[in-house]
Amino acid sequence: MTASTPIPITPEMVAEHGLSPEEYARIQELLGRDPNLVELGIFSAMWSEHCSYKSSRPHLKTLPTEGPRVIQGPGENAGVVDIGDGLAAVFKIESHNHPSFIEPHQGAATGVGGIMRDVFTMGARPIALLDSLRFGDLDHEKTRYLLNGVVKGIADYGNCVGVPTVGGDIYFDACYKGNILVNVFCLGLAKADRIFLGKASGVGNAVLYVGSKTGRDGIHGASMASAEFDDATEEKRPTVQVGDPFTEKLLLEACLEIMKEDWVVGVQDMGAAGLSSSSFEMAERAGMGIELDLDAVPRRESGMNAYEIMLSESQERMLFVVEKGHEDDALAIFKKWDLDVAVIGRVTDDGIFRARENGAEVVNLPIKTVVTGALKCDRPTQKPAYLSEVGKLDLSSKEIPERGDEALKRLLASPTIASKQYVYEQYDHMVRLNTLVLPGSDAAVLRVPETRKALSLSVDCNPRYGYLDPYTGAQIAVAEACRNVACSGAEPVGVTNCLNFGNPENPEIMWQFQEAVRGLGDLCRFFDIPVVSGNVSLYNETKGEAIYPTPTIAVVGLMEDWSLHCTQGFKQAGHRIGLLGSTLEELGGSEYQKLFWNECRGRPPQLDPKTERAVQRLCLDLIRQRLIRSAHDCSEGGLAVALAESCFTGPKPLGADLVLSGGMRADALLFGESQSRIVISFSEDALPSIESLAKQAGVPFAVVGTAGGSKFQIKIDGNEFINEDILTLEDIWKHSLGLYGNRVAG
């Protein structure tokens, strides 16, 4: 299409671009004319939910985003937190859900590539990845295909670029059968005074395109990510991008080299909506205009038109703004790294985006109108009707097992609880040699090079809790991610979130979203932890069936001395085992409830913020004073699973002799998922100090057993409830997920 061959815009074309009649009328009103087809495509992408956050923005504004360590909060490519010694942690989590369901390998791979670019765009070297994955039940053939494809995509891309994947979490539930979630987190390190922003400032400064050539892959990717799935899902494969990790590695190194120069003005990844979003957003942040010559854009396919060039989401591409007069310097650096690079435009001062093709102007749009002019969706909310029914749970009608051996085995074999070794053994988690705590503990820990510091990372969200109570579910996600970091010996310093929900046009879904954001904000304010970046992924549903609310939370923690890091496994026979926190009779939303009663109902576990904070601070104090040898939070599967995991994950398998006091149902005592609990181990001589510190902190503390031997034994009020060989339990836990995953669909 060129300016000389205009195509009339019809209502059908507007609908195909995902715009409502009201939105198109607003475009006409703001422009004072009809847009052409290229301009319509730009509005479609930029006003999509994925790019404009039109439904979520009013709620996101309520989150706490400031703090003494915050260098850059939400609104840029990634968040930045000061960690001292002139260094900053740069991090963000994002979704690649829809592409990964359509084409799991490339969808996941390009999700990894995209989040890494968000981080090194800020001037940071990526040092770690986490992945948070959600799949349908594993007995469904397509789930196995999706699991293996996603894991291979993450492994292939991260391993090739040389950034270690050091942890994550995986849940399996039928609600994700038609819409999996692939959320990827990246952490980078940068000099605190050399952070680069996505701004196109300085009249006459050059706009540079660098990276891979532009192709037709990914066109309408942002719009596709802003719609629910239907019977035509398979037809959307062309909107999934194709990644090249080797080009990404070259791009990473070239960017970090050029960012040493003072004449670099701004930089942004060409992510969702490609050249459109990067150029419009960079200019809008600086209050400037941009003019582009689309004929100068490197292309790998012949015959591409302006529409395709502006909306392509081809991977491994960046947009730079450099000071006028330094174009040749920039070109030389990028060409040295064998990257496609070209000067494709200039910064102007009139706030207008202009693009030319074959010498003719094909786009002329006011930048602020495109970036901020989308209709603000004040979506109606309504408490879901299902809550009045699923909120009821009568435990008196549920049979209490006489023994817990089989229940423990089934829980350890559950794909959600079982060891994720089958997954993380496919990742290179030691590249760059900074990983102190490998995948498999509560949190990953990475050494900060040339310092005594370390950073701890954890990602978490139990979707069943969100289904039963989105407010509490979001709070528990924050609490557990922070608890995991505290168990490693680090103090949480920043949060990033990926908010995965169904169709926001449904008032009940919007209520879930609103409540989850409220819960997230309230707990972060109470903990005094800023939310510095994030992502919203809506329309995660197929044929009207939405996923459970899944507000995925990643937390970064800081420890000043990496030698004080802690892991979850018992270290030595004879060490005493203790429990920080209280156990309540809570089985709502638990893995035990799902496995044995095939339901998700009741209330999620209670969360008292004051108690949670006290437990985490006590755990940190005990680690810093070297009083405990291990710390492991209680989560899915409850106390019995946490104790068993601590037996498996030390230097070698150790049994445990455990004695508990009852006062409630035995299954709730062992398998309920009460919050604010941490299993610790310690030498006998540390007991008086631990008891004293727990009393001062007002945290319940009990000695529950001793590590050692070949058996895992639990007695409740003197009666044996579990007695199993520890190696048998370990084998079940260690290999169950691999047995499922290796049955790959043909």
Side-chain angles (χ1 to χ4, degrees), residues 116-254:
M116 283 198 287
R117 289 194 299 279
D118 281 341
V119 166
F120 69 75
T121 291
M122 305 292 290
R125 177 174 290 281
I127 64 167
L129 296 163
L130 301 176
D131 51 77
S132 182
L133 312 176
R134 301 291 183 271
F135 297 96
D137 288 333
L138 260 176
D139 58 4
H140 189 273
E141 188 174 85
K142 187 167 184 178
T143 297
R144 298 196 298 274
Y145 159 75
L146 292 169
L147 170 66
N148 284 282
V150 165
V151 170
K152 190 173 190 307
I154 292 169
D156 286 353
Y157 206 101
N159 294 354
C160 288
V161 178
V163 179
T165 302
V166 296
D169 70 345
I170 309 179
Y171 282 73
F172 297 87
D173 194 281
C175 74
Y176 302 106
K177 175 183 174 183
N179 205 124
I180 66 172
L181 302 184
V182 176
N183 295 176
V184 185
F185 165 97
C186 184
L187 167 74
L189 288 175
K191 291 183 178 180
D193 61 353
R194 293 291 290 175
I195 302 300
F196 288 81
L197 304 180
K199 291 185 178 180
S201 57
V203 175
N205 283 340
V207 178
L208 268 71
Y209 172 116
V210 62
S212 295
K213 290 182 171 68
T214 294
R216 291 187 171 94
D217 53 323
I219 294 174
H220 288 307
S223 301
M224 179 267 290
S226 303
E228 62 182 81
F229 285 147
D230 53 28
D231 291 326
T233 295
E234 291 297 316
E235 298 172 10
K236 297 178 181 178
R237 284 185 184 272
T239 63
V240 178
Q241 310 93 323
V242 178
D244 178 0
F246 301 104
T247 298
E248 178 103 347
K249 175 63 173 174
L250 297 175
L251 187 59
L252 162 62
E253 298 300 339

Side-chain angles (χ1 to χ4, degrees), residues 1-4 291-296 299 306 309 354-363:
M1 187 215 116
T2 67
S4 61
E291 56 182 20
L292 298 183
D293 178 5
L294 299 184
D295 296 331
R299 280 158 283 181
I309 294 168
R354 296 180 178 87
R356 299 187 310 278
E357 179 188 42
N358 298 326
E361 188 172 84
V362 291
V363 180

Side-chain angles (χ1 to χ4, degrees), residues 494-509:
V495 166
T496 181
N497 63 79
C498 195
L499 307 177
N500 307 273
F501 290 79
N503 187 339
E505 298 165 45
N506 180 339
E508 294 189 346
I509 298 294

Side-chain angles (χ1 to χ4, degrees), residues 547-603:
I547 64 166
Y548 286 169
T550 312
T552 304
I553 305 297
V555 170
V556 174
L558 174 66
M559 59 181 78
E560 295 294 338
D561 182 353
W562 60 259
S563 70
L564 292 173
H565 73 272
C566 189
T567 55
Q568 70 183 38
F570 296 148
K571 305 299 186 296
Q572 185 176 316
H575 278 175
R576 304 305 303 277
I577 302 168
L579 178 65
L580 306 179
S582 299
T583 301
L584 305 176
E585 191 170 80
E586 299 175 304
L587 286 168
S590 66
E591 189 73 12
Y592 176 83
Q593 180 190 49
K594 178 67 175 178
L595 281 180
F596 289 89
W597 304 333
N598 193 31
E599 62 185 20
C600 178
R601 60 187 307 117
R603 299 283 300 168

